[in-house]
Amino acid sequence: MRYGRIPDEAVRRLPIYLRGLLFLSEGGQQSISSKDLADFLSVNPSQIRKDFSYFGVFGTPGVGYKTETLIKQIRKILKLDVVHRTALAGVGNLGSALLAYPGFGVYGLDIVAAFDTDPKKIGRKVSNITIESSSKLGTLRRRKIDLAIIAVPGDSAQKTADVLVKAGVKGILNFSPCYITVPRRVKVISIDIAMDLARLPYYMRAG
Amino acid sequence: MRYGRIPDEAVRRLPIYLRGLLFLSEGGQQSISSKDLADFLSVNPSQIRKDFSYFGVFGTPGVGYKTETLIKQIRKILKLDVVHRTALAGVGNLGSALLAYPGFGVYGLDIVAAFDTDPKKIGRKVSNITIESSSKLGTLRRRKIDLAIIAVPGDSAQKTADVLVKAGVKGILNFSPCYITVPRRVKVISIDIAMDLARLPYYMRAG
DNA sequence: GCATGTGAAAATCTTCACAGCA
DNA sequence: TGCTGTGAAGATTTTCACATGC
């Protein structure tokens, strides 16, 4: 499936394309050109074609890409064609919101377990998931859970990551405002909400 | 304050540097070299020096940067030296979590108002903020609120953005899974949580 | 004719390497 | 000596432009 070196940026854009395609495919059009998609997403059409070519995704000259096929191919490249069982570590305000978040399903991601250290929370149900003790994180491998979301306070983020890695998790989405160190085989994507907000004022015009 | 064209990437890194500096300054060291900071953040020291130079931030050869001064300068560049009053649109699960989120204060960002369309929510207090009707969004300008967070469902995100822009907001942090169109003078930064998670499986090793 | 796929060019971003100063 | 600031080199990414195929 790989065609030479693939820019990380291209991987980052693939879910954007997928989201746009899913939206546009609801309109029922059988095929879509790179220009159609580019206009919709406000990006450059060549960029889209080049990105697709990195992954060996090809369309029909003079026509475009078959919408359904394209969606399937992108899903397959991103390994979203199989459901990924995901665990949540830390069921505070943010964690609870993530459990209720409706957007994951679209991408074949399913939060199937939630963990917290607070004894008061353990056993409680949030969005149909029963909160378990963090001491049970070791069961993840047996339960075929390969992704995890860290939504614990910063000071315990690294410790949580260590446990998750030991439990066989292969990818971590980190919401804590901390840099996390893991073995190279594990991928971490970090979202620091405050840091994104912190960039906004810079772009504000005077007045 | 501008020294020639500044890469967007440099702006994106500034809050990362700031976060690291705040952490390291707690240790009490008066000055810090680009290497110290780079090691701590796992980045390249030249990158840091070059980034600083874009903004006219200079250190002392042979010594480094004066920690306190550096923090102040970065805050000023990012316009975080004045408090930014921020509004939240949409007090669902995610919105509530954001209201409770402790990380904004560090960057001088303060959520001072929350809005929702659900009559059942209006008047209720969440994290000490009384939820107001979305019909009151027009009051933002008078209340000196210049930033906003969109945490409404995707299908009303654009409508909400339109109202916010009309109400004088100059920057928007968008959590809805939608592309939002605004006048050029307004900056939008979007965070699509599911999309970030969707990139993870790609990097997973087989097995 | 129309839209793809792709080398080549352009633009951008990162790292190097070193002169210069405390 | 040690670390900065910065031109220049290198690496990467984006865009162009056009030959190719439907």
Side-chain angles (χ1 to χ4, degrees), chain A residues 2 8 15-16 19 77-79 84 93 97 104 170 177 189 191-192 195-197 199 201-204 207, chain B residues 2 8 15-16 19 77-79 93 97 100 104 170 177 189 191-192 195-197 199 201-204 207:
Chain A
R2 292 279 190 94
D8 235 30
I16 300 176
R19 193 178 74 180
I77 292 161
L78 291 171
K79 303 208 184 89
H84 288 279
N93 285 291
F104 293 128
K170 299 203 191 93
I189 292 178
I191 302 180
D192 186 327
M195 223 156 65
D196 284 313
L197 189 52
R199 258 177 328 130
Y202 173 83
Y203 294 98
M204 289 182 2
Chain B
R2 292 280 189 93
D8 237 29
I16 300 177
R19 193 177 73 181
I77 292 161
L78 291 171
K79 302 207 184 90
N93 285 291
F104 293 129
K170 299 201 190 97
I189 292 178
I191 301 180
D192 187 326
M195 222 157 65
D196 285 312
L197 189 53
R199 256 175 330 130
Y202 173 83
Y203 294 98
M204 286 182 4

Side-chain angles (χ1 to χ4, degrees), chain B residues 91-118:
Chain B
V91 193
N93 285 291
L94 182 60
S96 302
L98 294 173
L99 278 177
Y101 193 71
F104 293 129
V106 186
Y107 298 107
L109 304 162
D110 191 17
I111 303 182
V112 296
F115 299 86
D116 205 292
T117 53
D118 183 348

Side-chain angles (χ1 to χ4, degrees), chain A residues 42-70:
Chain A
S42 303
V43 300
N44 183 305
S46 315
Q47 173 107 265
I48 293 181
R49 295 201 300 276
K50 178 136 288 195
D51 283 348
F52 287 172
S53 81
Y54 289 132
F55 298 99
V57 167
F58 301 112
T60 315
V63 182
Y65 301 83
K66 199 156 170 301
T67 316
E68 285 308 311
T69 311
L70 184 52

Side-chain angles (χ1 to χ4, degrees), chain A residues 100-155:
Chain A
Y101 193 71
F104 293 128
V106 186
Y107 297 107
L109 306 163
D110 191 16
I111 302 182
V112 297
F115 300 85
D116 205 291
T117 52
D118 184 349
K120 286 199 292 292
K121 288 182 186 162
I122 293 162
R124 265 183 45 206
K125 267 199 172 188
V126 176
S127 297
N128 258 334
I129 305 275
T130 304
I131 302 175
E132 303 170 54
S133 164
S134 297
S135 64
K136 299 278 175 57
L137 278 168
T139 63
L140 294 187
R141 185 176 288 125
R142 193 190 323 140
R143 291 154 81 181
K144 312 265 185 224
I145 292 174
D146 52 12
L147 293 182
I149 301 174
I150 293 183
V152 303
D155 50 20

Side-chain angles (χ1 to χ4, degrees), chain B residues 33-34 49 58-59 62 65:
Chain B
S33 69
S34 61
R49 294 200 300 278
F58 301 111
Y65 301 83

